[in-house]
Amino acid sequence: MITKPVKQLLLSIVGPENYDDSKVECLVYSYDATPGYQAMPDAVIKPGCTAEVSDIVKVCSEYKIPIVPRGSGTNLSGGTCPMEGGLVLLFNRMNSLLEIDEENLTATVQPGLITLDLISAVEAKGLFYPPDPSSMKISTIGGNINENSGGLRGLKYGVTRDYVIGLEVVLPNGDIIHTGGKLAKDVAGYDLTKLMVGSEGTLGIVTEAILKLIPTPETTKTMLALYQDLDAAAQSVAKIISNKIIPVTLEFLDRPTLVVVEDFAKIGLPTDVEAVLLIEQDGPLEVVERDMKRMADICLEEKAVSVEIAETEADAAALKTARRTALSALARLKPTTILEDATVPRSEIAKMVRAINEIASKHDVNICTFGHAGDGNLHPTCITDARDHDEMERVELAFADIFAAAIDLGGTITGEHGVGAMKAPYLEWKLKKEGVAAMTAIKQAFDPNNIMNPGKIFAKESRKRVVVSS
Amino acid sequence: MTTVKEREAIASEFAEKMNEDELLNCMRCGFCLPHCPTYIESGLKESYSPRGRIALMKAVTDGLIEPDEDVERSLSLCLGCRACEPVCPSGVKYGHLLEEARDIIHQNKDHSFPVKTIRKAVFSGLFPHQERMQNMTSLLGFYQRSGLQYIARKTGVLSMLPDHLATMEKVLPKVPTKSEMKKRPTDLPSIGPVLKKVAFFSGCLMDTMFLETNKATLKLLQLAGCEIVIPKSQACCGALHGHSGEKEGAKRLAKRNIEAFEADEVDYIITNAGGCGAFLIDYDHLLQDEPTWHERAIAFTNKLKDISEILVDLRFHEKTRLKLPAQTVTFQDSCHLRNVMNTSIAPRILLQAIEGIDFREMKDADRCCGSAGIYNIVESEMSMKILDTKMAHTKSTQADIVVTANPGCLLQMQLGIEREKMGDCTKAVHIADLLVEAAAL
C-alpha cells in the first residue's frame, strides 16, 4: 500500500507526469507475456536518472514497498508481474545508447534501450552484439540483463551474461554501485556483474550497463533441413555437435509449429514434413562454406528429406524472423499458449524430444516443440484453453513431468527465460535444498526487507518431485 | 463524464458482447508495440498500445476494472490504423475488438446535447445521403468561388480556429460545382477490348470533394479494358459510423450497398479509397450475425479490389506508356489499404513503371499519417505529432510528389506540407490522378 505521504515523497522525486496510480495505468502494467499471471501494482513510476532511481528505492526501503523493474514486459516466467503490488518501475525515459567505444569494443547503454536499436547501431559501425532474443524488436537491454536472455545465436555466442562486463546498480538500500568496467580482465573480488545478470530484479536495479562487442563476422549462411522423422532431426543435432562443428544457430521446429508459423509468415515454409532444422553459420567465407557442406552431409546421412541453403539474405532473414514468431503464432491454434523452457545437455536432445512427446500423450495434452536445439534449450509449448480447468490440471502435470525428465537427463528447468514466479516451485528440483539456501542467503544479504521484485525465484513452497521413468 | 449507471451498462454489455476467444487470443507477446503509432508518439505508454487496449477491454469484460474515462480515452486515442494486425503472430482481430468496444461505449452513453446533435447530423443526416453530401460540398464550393474564402483569409477570421483547422481550410481541394457532381454517368464502356466488367464504388467524399480523382479512376479503368457500371443506389461505405461506435448505422449502409451492387453481374467491385475499401471488405464480419445477409456480404467482399490491384492485374502499366517530367516520387501507404486490404506492392509497381520518376521509399511509409477519418479533428494533438514524424520522413526523401491512395491521407499529407511550408517544392496527389497525368489522358 502506498499511503498519501509516501505518494507525496515519490511525486517530489519524479514529478506528477512520471507517476501514475490510475486504474488504467496499473492494469496495463499488471501483466507480462506469461499466461496466467496478473496482479495490480499500486502505482507506476518513471524515473529519469540513476539518482532518481536511488531516491525512489530509499523511499520504498523505508516504507517496505515492493519494486518491480520492468522493460517491455515480454518475459515468459511471470518475472515482471507485480505479484505483491507496489511500484512498477519503467525505463522509458532512461533509454539512451550512451556510447559505442570502438577502441575498447564496448557499448554503454541505459536499461530502457530497445535491444534491436542497440544491435542496429553497433552493426552500423561494423560491430556485433550477438544476444538476439526473439523479442528483440520490443525487449529492452535492462530486461535482457535481468532475465539473462538468450536467443537464436546462443549456441555459438552464448547469452546476455557473456556480454555484460560492467554495471551500475542501485541496491535495495539506495546505494549506487559500479561493477566491472571496460576491462577484458578483472578479478577484484566477487563477480557482482555476473551475479546481477539474470537476478531477475531481485537484487537491485540496473541503471547502466557496459556491453562487450565483437567484430562482425565476414559472412553468414542459412539453411533449412527437412525431416519426416522427429528423431532423425534430433540425431542430426547431436551428430553435428559431436563432429565438432558449432554453428551460430541450430533451431528445431516440429510440424504443428511449422504450420502456424507459415500461416502467419507466408514465406513458403514446408508444412508437410515432421520437423525442420534451421541452421546458420557465420565467419570467414571458406569456413562457412566448409561447415555448411559438412552439416548438410550429416543431415542427409541422418535421413533428412532435403537440405536447402537460403539463396539471398532476404530469404535467410525471413526464415529467422519466422522462427522468432513461433511462440506467438502458436496462439492461433487455441486461446492459451503456455511455453516452457526445459534445457538438457546437447547430447540428450533426441531423448528429450521423445520424452516430451511421450509425456504429452500420457497426459492427453497438445504440446508442440520448437527451440534452440543446438544448445539443448527446448521450448515445449502447450496449446490449451485456460477456461478448461480439467485440461489445465493435466497441463500442469505434464510440465512437471517435463522438468523432471530434463533434470534426469542432466538438464535444468529454464535455459533462458528465468525462474520468475512461474518456475519458482521447481527451483529446488534443480538446486536441491542446499542450493536454494545459498541463494536465499545472497538475497537476504542484498535485500533484507524483501522489496525487490518479491515473489520471484523463491517459492513459498516447493513442488513435490514426481519421479518419471523415461 | 460517464455516470455510474452508464459504466454499469457498458460493463455488462462488454461481458455479454465482447468476443472472449479473440480477447484470449492476445498472448501479450508485445510484437504489436513497435508498430503502434500512438504507443510510439506517447513515449511508449502501454495504455496507448494494442496490447494495453486489449488488456483493458479484457479487464472490463472480466469485471476487473470499470470502464471509466481513462479506458475510454485509451480506446478513443486509437487511430484504428490496424498496423498491429499484420504483425500479430497470433492473428488477433484487433480492429473488430475495437469496433465492438467503441460501439458498446457510445451506445450506452448519454452524450451531451451538442455532441448528440453533431453525431446525429453527421451519422444520420449527412453521410448516408449523397444528395446532402453534394449540397454540403457545394456550400464549400460557394465559399471557395464566391470570394468568401478570399475575405475570410484576408480578414483573419480563420485565426479564430485552432491552428490545424485553419491550415486544413487552406488545403481543401477546389471542389466541383453541383451540376458537375450531378452529371455522374452510370455506365461507361471499355476503351479497347473488354477484359473485365467491373462496378465502381464511388464513395461519398470521393464523389463530391474528390470528384476529379473519381473521374481519373474511371478513365484508368476504361483504358485498362474494363466495362464499368456505377450503381446509382449505392451509399456511403459506413466506415465513419463503424469507427465511431455507430454499428447499426454502418449495418444499414452495408445492406444498401450489397443490394446496390448485386443488381449487375460483375467480376469486381473497384474502390479507390483505402479507408472505404477496408470497411467494405469487412462487411462479412459486420453482418455475421444475420445469416441471410452474411452470405450476400461474403459474395460482395470477394469481389472487392483496389484500383491499383486491378491495374496491375490487367497489366495496364505494361500496355500503356506512362511518362512524367523528371522528378522524385514517394508513396505514403493508406493504413487500411495495406493492413486490411493487403495492398502495398501494386501501387509501387505502378509508380515505378512511370518513366522519368525516381521512386524513393520513405522511412516507415507504412506508418499512419494521423488522418484516420475525423481523428485529426477530434484528436488533433496526437494527430499532429504523428504527422510531424511523417513529414520528417517525407522531407528526407526530397520528394517532389507524395502519392497517396485515400482521400483522408491525401488531405493530411497536404496539411503536413502546408504546416512545414514545403508547398513550393512538394505536393500530394492521389495515385489515380498521377497515373492519368502520366498516361497523358
Side-chain angles (χ1 to χ4, degrees):
Chain A
M1 255 290 281
I2 296 174
T3 56
K4 265 204 175 141
V6 175
K7 179 174 168 175
Q8 277 313 316
L9 286 172
L10 294 169
L11 283 172
S12 69
I13 298 168
V14 293
E17 64 283 10
N18 296 307
Y19 178 92
D20 201 327
D21 54 8
S22 66
K23 274 238 169 101
V24 158
E25 222 48 30
C26 289
L27 189 278
V28 296
Y29 293 106
S30 66
Y31 56 83
D32 53 33
T34 323
Y37 289 85
Q38 184 156 25
M40 294 287 266
D42 295 308
V44 177
I45 197 161
K46 286 186 246 179
C49 61
T50 307
E52 285 184 11
V53 175
S54 166
D55 289 344
I56 294 167
V57 173
K58 281 177 190 157
V59 172
C60 290
S61 174
E62 192 180 339
Y63 294 94
K64 314 252 182 316
I65 294 162
I67 310 175
V68 184
R70 185 188 195 271
S72 300
T74 56
N75 78 88
L76 295 159
S77 60
T80 48
C81 176
M83 310 278 291
E84 300 183 11
L87 275 185
V88 167
L89 195 92
L90 300 177
F91 296 94
N92 299 5
R93 298 170 65 214
M94 294 174 69
N95 63 352
S96 304
L97 171 51
L98 299 170
E99 178 197 46
I100 294 178
D101 180 343
E102 290 181 79
E103 285 180 12
N104 289 304
L105 297 190
T106 62
T108 306
V109 302
Q110 288 190 308
L113 180 67
I114 302 289
T115 314
L116 185 63
D117 292 345
L118 170 72
I119 290 177
S120 314
V122 302
E123 282 180 358
K125 291 195 181 288
L127 291 167
F128 189 41
Y129 176 73
D132 62 338
S134 290
S135 54
M136 66 182 180
K137 267 175 101 170
I138 326 130
S139 67
T140 63
I141 290 293
N144 292 172
I145 292 173
N146 272 342
E147 301 295 324
N148 191 13
S149 308
L152 262 56
R153 304 194 277 235
L155 171 56
K156 183 169 180 175
Y157 292 107
V159 295
T160 302
R161 173 173 289 139
D162 302 305
Y163 296 86
V164 180
I165 54 172
L167 289 174
E168 179 187 77
V169 181
V170 174
L171 295 180
N173 61 5
D175 284 354
I176 299 166
I177 61 163
H178 291 87
T179 73
K182 291 182 182 177
L183 302 163
K185 287 180 167 178
D186 181 3
V187 293
Y190 297 140
D191 191 343
L192 292 183
T193 313
K194 302 285 187 226
L195 177 62
M196 284 295 163
V197 181
S199 63
E200 306 187 24
T202 61
L203 299 179
I205 299 167
V206 172
T207 48
E208 201 173 297
I210 302 172
L211 307 170
K212 180 172 78 177
L213 306 175
I214 58 176
T216 310
E218 278 172 42
T219 44
T220 305
K221 282 205 184 300
T222 308
M223 75 181 172
L224 212 53
L226 318 185
Y227 295 86
Q228 282 307 357
D229 176 7
L230 228 55
D231 263 5
Q235 281 301 341
S236 303
V237 175
K239 204 162 165 194
I240 287 170
I241 308 284
S242 68
N243 268 270
K244 301 180 183 59
I245 308 170
I246 305 287
V248 185
T249 297
L250 189 39
E251 295 285 311
F252 173 88
L253 290 97
D254 68 2
R255 176 165 34 197
T257 314
L258 280 169
V259 172
V260 288
V261 169
E262 175 57 19
D263 187 35
F264 166 62
K266 303 209 168 44
I267 56 166
L269 280 174
T271 50
D272 55 349
V273 293
E274 285 305 313
V276 303
L277 290 179
L278 170 65
I279 306 171
E280 184 164 294
Q281 182 59 307
D282 68 5
L285 182 64
E286 315 84 76
V287 177
V288 171
E289 282 183 345
R290 191 192 64 206
D291 282 356
M292 291 301 267
K293 164 118 197 15
R294 278 176 59 196
M295 287 191 284
D297 289 345
I298 291 169
C299 292
L300 291 170
E301 278 163 30
E302 289 300 322
K303 302 194 193 67
V305 194
S306 79
V307 178
E308 283 171 58
I309 295 185
E311 282 185 13
T312 64
E313 259 178 52
D315 288 349
L319 285 175
K320 283 178 282 179
T321 307
R323 157 61 187 88
R324 290 186 217 281
T325 64
L327 163 64
S328 319
L330 281 167
R332 287 169 181 247
L333 296 176
K334 271 186 135 190
T336 313
T337 315
I338 306 174
L339 163 134
E340 270 311 338
D341 186 25
T343 303
V344 291
R346 301 194 269 241
S347 55
E348 306 297 317
I349 277 287
K351 277 188 210 156
M352 190 63 207
V353 170
R354 268 197 298 271
I356 292 169
N357 289 334
E358 281 163 19
I359 291 166
S361 55
K362 175 182 150 195
H363 293 284
D364 189 23
V365 291
N366 188 1
I367 295 182
C368 303
T369 298
F370 63 96
H372 318 289
D375 48 43
N377 182 197
L378 287 175
H379 294 317
T381 301
C382 193
I383 312 302
T384 177
D385 186 335
R387 292 165 293 187
D388 184 341
H389 298 293
D390 184 47
E391 181 164 298
M392 288 306 282
E393 266 174 41
R394 283 183 279 126
V395 171
E396 209 164 299
L397 292 174
F399 276 129
D401 281 0
I402 287 173
F403 297 140
I407 288 170
D408 287 344
L409 291 168
T412 181
I413 57 169
T414 170
E416 59 179 6
H417 293 165
V419 178
M422 196 174 185
K423 264 170 290 191
Y426 302 98
L427 185 66
E428 201 180 298
W429 294 15
K430 163 70 179 152
L431 297 177
K432 307 285 182 295
K433 275 203 163 54
E434 299 78 2
V436 176
M439 285 194 186
T440 42
I442 295 174
K443 167 79 174 165
Q444 179 67 23
F446 274 84
D447 183 19
N449 294 327
N450 193 28
I451 57 165
M452 285 305 309
N453 206 2
K456 311 299 159 61
I457 304 184
F458 308 105
K460 291 201 178 79
E461 261 177 72
S462 289
R463 274 260 188 167
K464 263 195 160 166
R465 174 81 155 82
V466 188
V467 182
V468 195
S469 52
S470 59
Chain B
M1 275 299 284
T2 326
T3 63
V4 176
K5 215 176 123 205
E6 284 169 354
R7 286 185 200 178
E8 279 170 3
I10 292 169
S12 84
E13 276 204 28
F14 260 73
E16 189 189 319
K17 285 188 180 168
M18 292 300 286
N19 184 333
E20 198 187 0
D21 278 343
E22 206 60 67
L23 288 170
L24 274 169
N25 265 346
C26 169
M27 41 95 62
R28 312 189 291 215
C29 66
F31 276 45
C32 52
L33 301 181
H35 300 271
C36 174
T38 55
Y39 175 71
I40 295 163
E41 297 294 345
S42 66
L44 314 184
K45 214 168 142 71
E46 180 85 13
S47 53
Y48 293 165
S49 77
R51 179 173 70 171
R53 291 180 178 118
I54 293 173
L56 290 174
M57 292 187 239
K58 185 165 187 308
V60 173
T61 306
D62 293 348
L64 204 60
I65 58 168
E66 281 191 317
D68 61 11
E69 269 96 32
D70 293 337
V71 172
E72 217 180 288
R73 181 87 201 101
S74 155
L75 296 180
S76 61
L77 205 66
C78 174
L79 295 149
C81 71
R82 294 167 78 167
C84 47
E85 287 187 34
V87 295
C88 174
S90 322
V92 177
K93 305 269 188 300
Y94 172 82
H96 295 167
L97 286 172
L98 180 75
E99 230 158 70
E100 190 69 54
R102 282 184 173 169
D103 188 55
I104 294 171
I105 291 174
H106 284 292
Q107 296 313 319
N108 284 288
K109 271 189 78 149
D110 195 10
H111 288 293
S112 66
F113 182 71
V115 174
K116 219 189 297 185
T117 316
I118 292 172
R119 284 182 72 96
K120 191 160 188 282
V122 173
F123 296 125
S124 315
L126 181 61
F127 276 82
H129 307 283
Q130 196 59 8
E131 177 89 7
R132 293 183 200 165
M133 286 294 286
Q134 288 175 354
N135 287 336
M136 179 83 172
T137 309
S138 48
L139 208 63
L140 180 66
F142 176 73
Y143 169 75
Q144 288 176 340
R145 281 185 285 266
S146 64
L148 257 182
Q149 182 172 46
Y150 177 80
I151 296 166
R153 287 182 182 177
K154 258 311 201 232
T155 54
V157 220
L158 293 172
S159 60
M160 288 162 72
L161 291 173
D163 270 358
H164 70 284
L165 284 183
T167 315
M168 182 71 96
E169 186 272 347
K170 285 190 204 158
V171 302
L172 286 176
K174 289 267 172 293
V175 301
T177 60
K178 198 167 173 183
S179 64
E180 278 179 278
M181 287 186 271
K182 287 205 172 291
K183 267 192 263 154
R184 142 76 55 246
T186 52
D187 295 276
L188 288 162
S190 131
I191 298 173
V194 182
L195 300 176
K196 296 283 172 203
K197 185 170 179 192
V198 304
F200 181 59
F201 181 83
S202 51
C204 44
L205 260 190
M206 288 304 293
D207 221 26
T208 50
M209 214 182 270
F210 295 94
L211 189 65
E212 280 307 311
T213 304
N214 266 4
K215 285 187 189 164
T217 308
L218 292 169
K219 271 187 202 163
L220 293 171
L221 283 172
Q222 283 179 291
L223 204 76
C226 295
E227 184 188 337
I228 310 162
V229 290
I230 308 169
K232 235 186 145 55
S233 55
Q234 62 176 300
C236 159
C237 65
L240 205 58
H241 301 72
H243 301 157
S244 310
E246 295 285 341
K247 208 169 152 187
E248 285 310 313
K251 279 186 181 175
R252 277 194 295 277
L253 289 167
K255 289 175 188 170
R256 232 171 90 187
N257 280 322
I258 290 169
E259 255 170 4
F261 282 87
E262 275 170 347
D264 296 280
E265 234 352 275
V266 294
D267 300 308
Y268 300 115
I269 299 167
I270 305 299
T271 62
N272 63 353
C276 304
F279 199 76
L280 295 167
I281 212 163
D282 255 356
Y283 273 2
D284 57 334
H285 173 76
L286 186 70
L287 297 169
Q288 63 179 351
D289 297 331
E290 299 182 45
T292 49
W293 280 103
H294 190 223
E295 291 278 305
R296 293 164 74 179
I298 291 172
F300 177 90
T301 57
N302 282 342
K303 286 185 182 171
L304 211 66
K305 231 185 211 322
D306 183 69
I307 175 70
S308 54
E309 290 282 358
I310 190 164
L311 292 180
V312 171
D313 282 358
L314 298 177
R315 300 185 18 241
F316 166 79
H317 57 300
E318 291 167 16
K319 292 188 255 177
T320 317
R321 182 161 187 228
L322 300 168
K323 191 172 186 305
L324 284 174
Q327 53 196 323
T328 304
V329 170
T330 192
F331 184 66
Q332 162 60 26
D333 282 282
S334 145
C335 297
H336 283 140
L337 189 59
R338 187 184 179 106
N339 301 326
V340 187
M341 290 188 79
N342 218 357
T343 293
S344 63
I345 299 165
R348 289 173 166 83
I349 292 176
L350 294 170
L351 292 175
Q352 281 164 341
I354 303 174
E355 282 173 50
I357 75 151
D358 172 17
F359 181 77
R360 273 187 222 158
E361 202 62 73
M362 75 166 89
K363 184 172 181 258
D364 295 336
D366 59 344
R367 185 168 302 161
C368 182
C369 60
S371 167
I374 51 167
Y375 187 93
N376 55 0
I377 296 167
V378 292
E379 296 291 353
S380 60
E381 195 187 332
M382 179 60 85
S383 169
M384 291 305 115
K385 263 193 199 173
I386 293 169
L387 180 59
D388 290 345
T389 307
K390 178 62 59 184
M391 292 323 290
H393 295 328
T394 308
K395 260 187 188 167
S396 60
T397 64
Q398 294 178 310
D400 303 292
I401 300 178
V402 189
V403 179
T404 62
N406 184 54
C409 310
L410 178 58
L411 279 180
Q412 180 84 345
M413 292 309 292
Q414 276 165 345
L415 181 65
I417 289 167
E418 187 68 28
R419 272 163 67 88
E420 298 284 325
K421 312 219 177 329
M422 291 157 65
D424 293 339
C425 47
T426 312
K427 60 176 182 170
V429 300
H430 189 284
I431 187 164
D433 292 315
L434 191 76
L435 287 172
V436 158
E437 198 188 329
L441 289 170

